[in-house]
Amino acid sequence: MENDESTDGPQETGLSLSRILDDDSIEHLEHHQSADTPTEGWDEETTGRLLEDGYCVECEDQPAQMHCESCTDNFCEVCFAAQHRKGSRKQHKSKPLTVGNVKKPQPPASSSNGALTNGQDEEMDTEDVDSDEELEQASQPRQTLELEPQPVIGGNVGEWFVERSKYIPMRLTLAERKYLRLLEAALNVSEYTDKIDTIGFGLSKPKRIVQQIRELCAILSGLVLATDYKQGQELFQDRDFKSNEIFFQQLFELGRRYKIMNPDKMRSTYGKLIYLLQDSQLPEVQDLLEFTCINPIKTVYGILEEHKATDILRDDLIAIATKEIISEGRSRRDIQRDIKSKERAIETLSSKYSVRGLSQEQLRQCLYSIGDNHAFLRVNRDPCDRMIQYLKHYFHPTQAQDPKSSLAIRSGRNGARLSHDHSKQYAYVLQSLTLWREILHDMFRLWSLAEQDLLAESSPYRLRDTGQGLNRVQPAPKTSRMMHGILNRAQRSVGSWVGSSVIHMGDHNVPNALMFIDKYSQIYRILLPITTTLSQIPSLKEKPAIHGLIEEEFGSIDGLVKEILADFFRHGFDGSGADNFYDAGSCIDGRLTSAWNWCSSIERKRYFPVFLLTGFVGFDGDW
């Protein structure tokens, strides 16, 4: 192999192990560089640009918020917490940055005609600017109003509903639900992923994609024509898909919108839809298809902002108009009173803020959509809160009162792959449930970012075998950034962190953002049946035979509840469930894998008949 630079002699100037050991004057290898070129080490990334003033030294795309006095570097809040979580760096002193400490990065000013102006003519990549702004908006730990508790009825709602409504999809109307059924029917018979995500086929992949998209559009055209002949004739009389671009965009958008509001629906068809839209973003596919299939999701805030009616979200009466009325443990009279007060609030707000172009019915739909969000949180997030309450009520945080109350696990026993004493396992379970709660609280925002990552033109996927078949492996920078912010929030809330804080995204464990969303949208399928069973157990004592059986086997009702909880807190969080040792353990996704593994073995538990007596049908059923 020839060297690029000329040398006088191979032994006089070359570096060898003997010369390095003998000659103490050799410090490092000098590179011939111009004065304008900054020197870089062999282990440093060549970015081709210097770090801009005011940005985090670690991620380089977020505004700096913390200054470490020991490192003498500026970090954003997420990176600072990740770099100084443990070890010697944990003792570093820091101070928050203010306007006087660091120059705040300012986006370039925009002129009236949309051109970027900052005092001089500069060429800027608008795509990168938009990407950075979206990342900052999505994950920057600014004063996030979502972290505050939901406003109480009668209190000042402030900006809580404004921020929340930016990610709440609009509820489907009756006319849209008709087209949703047509879309689901077409997706059910489609073999899109079977013909696209395969190795070895007759046509090239772009041609196969275009053929399958046109075939799906043709099926939809036929279904619309069969449902409404007059409308079908108007839309498809020329058999030109390009001229009906808006119709197909709206059709695909309402399917995505419905899925976000109802994660338990479209379980087999949503993946086809997203992968189809993902492929439609490929440049070679767009050239052949001649139209785009993607429309932004209709959100509550988007509809209200379009008609300049966002003040309805700041009206204190909106807390009453969107509250969820729960009937458990309440009299019929109280329930009817709440229903009437809610209806009066909805009518008052819809008549007060209706403007030209925004009818009262549309405003009602906006309020109903926010109410649907509250129902989503109650079903998905609240089981995490109840499990945290059970953990704190029945178990001591530092020491077990008796062997049955001990949460200690040891690797190799009963399938466990972690070794924790009682206090460490208590903290491990608490932080896992807290993290799940925070993820579900921001699920709509995460879903929005996940779709942006999946449908990004600048982020292609790779089809590879991940050990679970062929999967589309694609990076998800926006979703990952948001997840690191949520993880940082959970770490601060619990104080300390046990186990790994690795978030799998875009690898063989979690190939893409769709798999991530699907994984965490199933948490309620684990926790809701458990909390439902635990809440129904006290009613079993009304039946003498069952009550006697419980006392004979478990000592008491509380003993039964405690045994179920102890078994779940031990072996639902023991690092098991993966097909090999390296993919299991205490990482962020491994915790959920362990919980699913516990669910698969519940039939072998001695308390399983109690689950059946309380109406349990499975962890994948309807409750």
Side-chain angles (χ1 to χ4, degrees), residues 51-83:
L51 177 65
E52 297 183 19
D53 188 18
Y55 282 91
C56 173
V57 70
E58 183 68 20
C59 63
E60 300 183 359
D61 64 355
Q62 296 296 308
Q65 296 170 305
M66 307 288 292
H67 176 74
C68 180
E69 297 179 352
S70 301
C71 301
T72 66
D73 285 326
N74 298 331
F75 299 87
C76 66
E77 191 171 357
V78 175
C79 291
F80 179 83
Q83 294 291 327

Side-chain angles (χ1 to χ4, degrees), residues 37-314:
T37 306
T39 57
E40 295 177 352
W42 62 271
D43 59 342
E44 295 179 288
E45 295 182 356
T46 306
T47 59
R49 64 178 178 85
L50 296 175
L51 177 65
E52 297 183 19
D53 188 18
Y55 282 91
C56 173
V57 70
E58 183 68 20
C59 63
E60 300 183 359
D61 64 355
Q62 296 296 308
Q65 296 170 305
M66 307 288 292
H67 176 74
C68 180
E69 297 179 352
S70 301
C71 301
T72 66
D73 285 326
N74 298 331
F75 299 87
C76 66
E77 191 171 357
V78 175
C79 291
F80 179 83
Q83 294 291 327
H84 298 77
R85 187 170 62 87
K86 58 183 180 180
S88 59
R89 282 195 173 192
K90 189 176 181 180
Q91 308 300 326
H92 288 189
K93 294 183 179 180
S94 64
K95 59 181 180 180
L97 292 175
T98 60
V99 179
N101 296 125
V102 65
K103 178 182 176 182
K104 184 177 180 181
Q106 296 290 341
S110 177
S111 61
S112 59
N113 60 358
L116 294 172
T117 58
N118 58 354
Q120 57 182 353
D121 294 335
E122 293 183 356
E123 294 182 2
M124 299 192 64
D125 189 351
T126 56
E127 183 177 352
D128 292 340
V129 173
D130 293 340
S131 177
D132 290 342
E133 289 178 354
E134 290 173 358
L135 279 171
E136 179 178 348
Q137 180 181 2
S139 58
Q140 179 185 351
R142 52 184 170 81
Q143 296 178 353
T144 48
L145 299 172
E146 290 82 4
L147 302 185
E148 300 176 359
Q150 184 174 333
V152 296
I153 296 176
N156 184 14
V157 299
E159 298 290 319
W160 194 91
F161 285 94
V162 175
E163 292 295 320
R164 193 76 185 173
S165 64
K166 292 179 180 179
Y167 305 96
I168 298 178
M170 283 289 295
R171 177 193 280 192
L172 269 63
T173 62
L174 290 177
E176 289 175 331
R177 292 179 186 275
K178 179 181 67 174
Y179 290 111
L180 173 68
R181 289 193 292 270
L182 300 183
L183 177 63
E184 286 191 275
L187 290 171
N188 276 323
V189 301
S190 173
E191 298 178 348
Y192 183 82
T193 51
D194 297 335
K195 294 185 177 180
I196 300 301
D197 292 346
T198 183
I199 298 177
F201 211 87
L203 298 174
S204 64
K205 188 169 184 178
K207 291 183 178 179
R208 278 185 283 147
I209 292 172
V210 172
Q211 181 183 11
Q212 291 299 313
I213 293 178
R214 286 178 174 172
E215 181 179 327
L216 180 65
C217 292
I219 295 174
L220 288 170
S221 304
L223 291 174
V224 172
L225 186 65
T227 305
D228 191 335
Y229 183 75
K230 183 178 180 180
Q231 184 183 11
Q233 273 193 324
E234 293 175 355
L235 287 174
F236 310 111
Q237 58 183 353
D238 297 330
R239 298 173 61 96
D240 184 10
F241 296 139
K242 182 180 178 181
S243 60
N244 297 314
E245 176 182 10
I246 297 178
F247 172 77
F248 289 118
Q249 287 178 351
Q250 294 175 347
L251 200 61
F252 294 141
E253 182 272 336
L254 65 90
R256 294 158 53 204
R257 185 172 10 131
Y258 178 74
K259 174 64 176 179
I260 296 174
M261 294 293 287
N262 303 273
D264 56 326
K265 305 296 184 181
M266 298 180 65
R267 298 182 64 185
S268 62
T269 55
Y270 177 72
K272 292 181 187 179
L273 176 60
I274 286 295
Y275 283 167
L276 181 147
L277 297 178
Q278 186 181 45
D279 290 335
S280 70
Q281 292 292 89
L282 299 175
E284 55 270 24
V285 173
Q286 288 187 358
D287 293 340
L288 295 174
L289 199 60
E290 298 181 341
F291 73 93
T292 179
C293 302
I294 298 175
N295 241 6
I297 295 290
K298 289 184 180 179
T299 61
V300 173
Y301 184 84
I303 297 296
L304 295 175
E305 186 183 34
E306 182 182 354
H307 298 88
K308 295 180 174 56
T310 55
D311 288 340
I312 190 176
L313 300 171
R314 299 180 178 90

